[in-house]
Amino acid sequence: MGWVRRPDVPNPPIRSRRMSSLTRTPGRTRGPIARVTSWWRNGGPAALLFLLPLLICFGYFAWWPIIQGLLLSFQDTNLVLESTWVGLVNVERVLADPRLGTAVENTTRFALLSILIGFPLPVLLAVAISELRRARALAGILAYTPVIIPPVVSVLLWKIFYDPSSTGLFNDVLSRVGLGPVEWLQTTTTVIPAIVVQATWSSIGTATIIYLAALTSVRADLYEAAELDGARIFRRFWHITLPQLRPVMLLLLLLQLIGVFQIFTEPFVMTGGGPANASLTVLMLIFNYAFIDGDYGKAAALSLMLAVVLSALSAVYLAATRRWSQHS
């Protein structure tokens, strides 16, 4: 029997194909009653029952304080007598405070310097550790060690290092090369960079460990192919490592930005906001409102304003970097 060519069958019109595809998926047109019935038969109540304790704990310990703080920002209260609803008066009082501009400026300077110093360092440190043939685990432990030191202890330790006398650690080093002494925490020009260096040292380990974990997911054959093509370490880092780490870097940058805008422990313990309010941050101003001035409504209003600004900043950041994350 010879090969017989079948006659060509014309394709159906696009419109008829779309209609047939719609008729083959009746589930899309199910009503709400049918969906609830399906959820009930597929074990929805049992799943909700298992989820209920988590929802109760999370709602009571996380969302309920947020709601209370939101209500407090519109009230005049001392947490003892009955509260009075004052509307936006607390917000107007915060905006009229001359210390707010200083705190915002200082916090912005903290954020910019922290991103400039503290964002690229963990990436470079993680890449350097991953290139080690030996003692890679030891290097990872040493990089993470500052994180396990209690924050107040590490801040007090660095406060000793920043001793303005010639016996301070950094001034002693400078004196050996004929420089100093420097009043690290006592002048308005050096106080913020000094605190940023300490904050970067204490937090760099966490980001380094995350980058080390992300580097293990980078395909080794990409590096092998690049080495065969004669690519040196800088080109491998620029064309392979950075694109592969891009989603993690974008996420950590956002988390670092949010964390830096809420810096409190370092300036509070080191300088108390001085000298001349040069290290006063927004969170320290909230602390002063609540626990020094006793004005809880004003503190809650500034907290609400900070939350709104950080939410807007996060939304803009995620929208601006969405394309980079998807094309990594």
Side-chain angles (χ1 to χ4, degrees):
M1 180 181 295
W3 175 264
V4 179
R5 184 175 185 274
R6 296 180 59 185
D8 296 335
V9 178
N11 295 326
I14 297 177
R15 184 174 181 181
S16 61
R17 280 188 294 177
R18 289 179 178 174
M19 290 298 294
S20 60
S21 64
L22 290 176
T23 55
R24 285 197 301 268
T25 56
R28 296 182 179 178
T29 58
R30 289 186 307 174
I33 297 178
R35 288 197 293 269
V36 170
T37 304
S38 176
W39 173 78
W40 185 275
R41 290 176 179 174
N42 292 329
L48 184 61
L49 188 62
F50 279 105
L51 193 62
L52 194 58
L54 177 63
L55 292 176
I56 293 175
C57 292
F58 191 77
Y60 185 77
F61 291 106
W63 286 103
W64 181 244
I66 293 175
I67 294 173
Q68 288 291 322
L70 180 63
L71 295 176
L72 201 63
S73 62
F74 299 106
Q75 296 174 346
D76 181 15
T77 178
N78 57 5
L79 301 182
V80 177
L81 302 177
E82 186 176 357
S83 304
T84 305
W85 188 265
V86 295
L88 296 176
V89 171
N90 289 328
V91 176
E92 295 174 354
R93 291 168 58 213
V94 169
L95 293 176
D97 190 345
R99 293 177 296 174
L100 178 64
T102 304
V104 171
E105 181 183 352
N106 293 337
T107 305
T108 305
R109 290 179 61 194
F110 269 118
L112 294 177
L113 271 179
S114 297
I115 297 298
L116 186 65
I117 298 175
F119 180 66
L121 276 182
V123 182
L124 300 175
L125 187 58
V127 172
I129 293 176
S130 66
E131 291 291 331
L132 294 177
R133 303 296 180 186
R134 297 178 181 178
R136 182 181 302 176
L138 178 61
I141 293 173
L142 292 177
Y144 192 73
T145 299
V147 180
I148 64 176
I149 299 176
V152 175
V153 175
S154 66
V155 171
L156 290 176
L157 185 66
W158 276 74
K159 191 174 181 180
I160 297 174
F161 294 166
Y162 284 136
D163 190 339
S165 66
S166 59
T167 58
L169 176 64
F170 296 134
N171 282 335
D172 182 53
V173 173
L174 290 178
S175 65
R176 297 178 186 276
V177 293
L179 299 177
V182 178
E183 295 182 336
W184 302 97
L185 302 176
Q186 287 73 31
T187 59
T188 57
T189 55
T190 58
V191 61
I192 288 183
I195 295 176
V196 167
V197 170
Q198 187 280 328
T200 303
W201 173 84
S202 63
S203 62
I204 193 174
T206 303
T208 302
I209 294 299
I210 294 175
Y211 284 129
L212 277 174
L215 283 172
T216 59
S217 63
V218 180
R219 291 165 48 192
D221 58 331
L222 296 176
Y223 291 111
E224 294 171 358
E227 289 180 0
L228 291 175
D229 291 339
R232 296 184 180 276
I233 184 170
F234 177 76
R235 294 190 63 187
R236 297 200 299 271
F237 172 75
W238 187 260
H239 294 288
I240 298 176
T241 304
L242 284 184
Q244 296 293 319
L245 292 181
R246 188 184 303 163
V248 180
M249 292 175 66
L250 293 175
L251 177 62
L252 286 182
L253 179 59
L254 176 61
L255 295 179
Q256 183 179 358
L257 201 60
I258 294 174
V260 168
F261 269 97
Q262 301 181 60
I263 187 169
F264 174 76
T265 304
E266 291 82 1
F268 180 75
V269 176
M270 275 190 171
T271 63
N277 290 332
S279 59
L280 179 70
T281 63
V282 173
L283 231 60
M284 287 187 65
L285 191 57
I286 294 173
F287 177 87
N288 292 341
Y289 285 158
F291 300 107
I292 294 180
D293 303 339
D295 198 338
Y296 299 101
K298 207 171 172 182
L302 183 54
S303 302
L304 176 64
M305 294 164 64
L306 178 62
V308 170
V309 170
L310 289 180
S311 300
L313 187 64
S314 302
V316 171
Y317 177 85
L318 291 175
T321 59
R322 179 178 302 171
R323 186 173 61 87
W324 295 343
S325 300
Q326 292 174 350
H327 289 79
S328 62

